[in-house]
């Protein structure tokens, strides 16, 4: 399952500077992933079907194929995901022949560990932290490999590549371990674990250039399409049963694409005509707004929204 490369983009791999840069990033990510496999007893790779986790899958293939991955794939499913993304997730896992563990926020709600005023419509994005910690505890994972990048958001920029989490699953940005000369301290006590970010040093542009170079398939939501949206607080909120129009709001049909995909209740597209990889790369190279700043409603509640959620166990 691969995406066709746009002819307008075909000259990119011929650029020595860009090729060297992507090769360096890829080599670092492969090294980190192999370090996890060598040093951690029971790791897992987080795979949601989004573009960053698609890149991680490719890195894992290069690190471990033709053998099986030395870890299962894990997705924390809010139950409010875009259908296209879940369909893509399942198809990609089937193609790889790897094991997928799905942690359901719905189960946490049913068990009473997550409580929402209205479980049918309230945002479940922050609740993922609870389900993730429960999944880690259930399977006794000592490391979870994720696709977070430092350029996404300022709280992400505080992360180490091997990010230590205490016995409560909490992250303390002031108690992280030094990582001098690419040496990583992976020691954890019972109940503790690491979050590991092999593409932490990548930018959004790096991710798109790598996807194009490796000819990786993606959910269709990432490419420009027509969709009904509601202009709200500087965002284009998709019209869904979870995000209906409020009194006095106008519903418009716009040509949009998603820069990041997540829970429907908090993820917005951006206005765009970029329907090819070449167009997306050109658009990404000139944008001055981070992907989360342009698309995530939950990150706009306050300046410390992400950091607060991360301290509680979020990705």
């Amino acid at each position: 399952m691969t995406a066709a490369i746009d002819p307008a983009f075909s000259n990119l791999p011929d650029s020595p500077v860009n090729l060297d840069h992507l090769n360096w990033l890829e080599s670092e990510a492969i090294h980190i992933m192999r370090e996890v496999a060598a040093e951690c007893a029971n790791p897992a790779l987080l795979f949601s079907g989004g573009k960053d986790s698609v890149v991680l899958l490719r890195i894992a293939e290069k690190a471990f194929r033709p053998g099986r991955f030395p870890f299962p794939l894990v997705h924390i499913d809010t139950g409010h995901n875009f259908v296209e993304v879940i369909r893509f997730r399942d198809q990609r896992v089937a193609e790889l022949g790897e094991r997928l563990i799905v942690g359901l926020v719905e189960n946490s709600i049913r068990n009473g560990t997550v409580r929402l005023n209205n479980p049918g419509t309230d945002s479940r994005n922050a609740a993922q932290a609870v389900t993730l910690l429960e999944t880690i505890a259930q399977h006794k994972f000592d490391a979870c490999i994720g696709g977070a990048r430092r350029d996404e958001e300022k709280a992400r920029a505080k992360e180490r590549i091997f990010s230590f989490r205490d016995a409560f699953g909490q992250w303390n940005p002031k108690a992280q371990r030094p990582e001098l000369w690419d040496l990583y301290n992976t020691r954890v006590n019972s109940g503790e674990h690491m979050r590991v970010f092999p593409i932490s040093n990548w930018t959004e542009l790096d991710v798109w250039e790598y996807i194009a170079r490796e000819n990786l398939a993606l959910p269709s939501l990432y490419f420009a399409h027509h969709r009904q949206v509601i202009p709200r607080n500087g965002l284009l909120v998709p019209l869904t049963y979870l995000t209906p129009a409020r009194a006095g709001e106008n519903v418009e049909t716009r040509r949009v694409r998603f820069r990041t995909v997540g829970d429907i209740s908090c993820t917005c597209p951006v206005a765009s005509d970029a329907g090819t990889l070449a167009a997306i790369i050109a658009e990404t190279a000139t944008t001055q707004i981070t992907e989360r700043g342009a698309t995530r409603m939950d990150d706009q509640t306050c300046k410390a929204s992400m950091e607060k959620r991360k301290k509680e166990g979020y990705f």
Side-chain angles (χ1 to χ4, degrees):
M1 181 179 181
T2 56
I5 296 295
D6 190 285
F9 188 74
S10 60
N11 64 333
L12 180 66
D14 296 330
S15 169
V17 174
N18 194 63
L19 183 60
D20 287 347
H21 176 64
L22 289 180
N23 283 342
W24 186 91
L25 290 172
E26 179 189 71
S27 179
E28 179 191 49
I30 290 172
H31 165 69
I32 292 167
M33 202 166 285
R34 287 174 173 167
E35 190 79 0
V36 174
E39 297 294 333
C40 299
N42 189 28
L45 192 155
L46 301 175
F47 178 62
S48 65
K51 68 181 188 306
D52 298 303
S53 58
V54 164
V55 167
L56 285 183
L57 279 192
R58 183 59 171 160
I59 296 297
E61 286 185 278
K62 292 199 173 187
F64 305 113
R65 287 298 195 233
R68 296 288 300 274
F69 293 170
F71 38 64
L73 307 179
V74 172
H75 181 215
I76 304 305
D77 188 346
T78 66
H80 289 168
N81 295 290
F82 291 98
V83 173
E84 299 94 327
V85 179
I86 297 300
R87 186 185 302 125
F88 173 84
R89 178 202 71 184
D90 292 342
Q91 183 172 348
R92 192 72 188 98
V93 170
E95 290 170 352
L96 288 168
E98 297 291 343
R99 181 164 66 107
L100 175 67
I101 295 171
V102 179
L104 298 171
V105 173
E106 186 67 42
N107 286 345
S108 299
I109 294 172
R110 190 177 299 114
N111 295 334
T113 52
V114 166
R115 296 185 180 182
L116 301 173
N117 291 329
N118 189 334
T121 58
D122 285 356
S123 176
R124 300 181 178 186
N125 196 47
Q128 291 180 83
V130 174
T131 308
L132 174 61
L133 294 177
E134 290 174 345
T135 304
I136 289 171
Q138 178 185 352
H139 296 277
K140 296 182 171 55
F141 293 131
D142 59 350
C144 287
I145 306 167
R149 308 185 322 270
R150 290 188 175 119
D151 77 321
E152 288 182 85
E153 203 271 345
K154 59 186 178 181
R156 300 274 202 209
K158 297 180 181 180
E159 287 276 21
R160 297 287 196 267
I161 289 176
F162 280 74
S163 181
F164 171 74
R165 305 299 170 110
D166 65 20
F168 297 99
Q170 296 177 323
W171 172 67
N172 182 352
K174 297 180 179 180
Q176 295 301 305
R177 301 166 178 180
E179 294 181 339
L180 305 175
W181 305 291
D182 294 333
L183 297 175
Y184 306 113
N185 182 348
T186 63
R187 288 177 296 181
V188 293
N189 296 317
S190 178
E192 300 171 343
H193 69 277
M194 310 292 293
R195 307 282 173 87
V196 186
F197 306 112
I199 62 172
S200 184
N201 291 327
W202 298 41
T203 65
E204 183 184 7
L205 182 59
D206 294 328
V207 167
W208 279 111
E209 289 182 340
Y210 189 78
I211 287 169
R213 192 190 80 173
E214 297 296 311
N215 201 18
L216 302 179
L218 290 171
S220 59
L221 292 176
Y222 281 111
F223 299 91
H225 57 284
H226 287 97
R227 181 177 291 268
Q228 287 188 302
V229 296
I230 308 154
R232 181 185 298 165
N233 299 328
L235 299 174
L236 297 177
V237 179
L239 179 65
T240 71
Y241 75 98
L242 292 170
T243 51
R246 298 170 182 170
E249 290 185 327
N250 294 322
V251 177
E252 303 176 5
T253 299
R254 298 267 196 101
R255 189 163 169 79
V256 300
R257 71 177 182 89
F258 286 81
R259 290 174 66 183
T260 178
V261 295
D263 191 274
I264 292 174
S265 65
C266 63
T267 306
C268 298
V270 295
S272 175
D273 289 318
T276 66
L277 291 171
I280 290 173
I281 289 166
E283 188 175 87
T284 303
T286 58
T287 187
Q288 297 183 3
I289 303 176
T290 65
E291 58 194 282
R292 295 191 70 93
T295 65
R296 291 299 183 102
M297 287 182 274
D298 53 336
D299 286 347
Q300 297 194 351
T301 54
C302 76
K303 292 183 178 180
S305 293
M306 172 62 81
E307 184 160 336
K308 181 177 182 293
R309 293 200 305 276
K310 286 178 67 63
K311 288 179 178 179
E312 295 171 349
Y314 190 73
F315 307 102

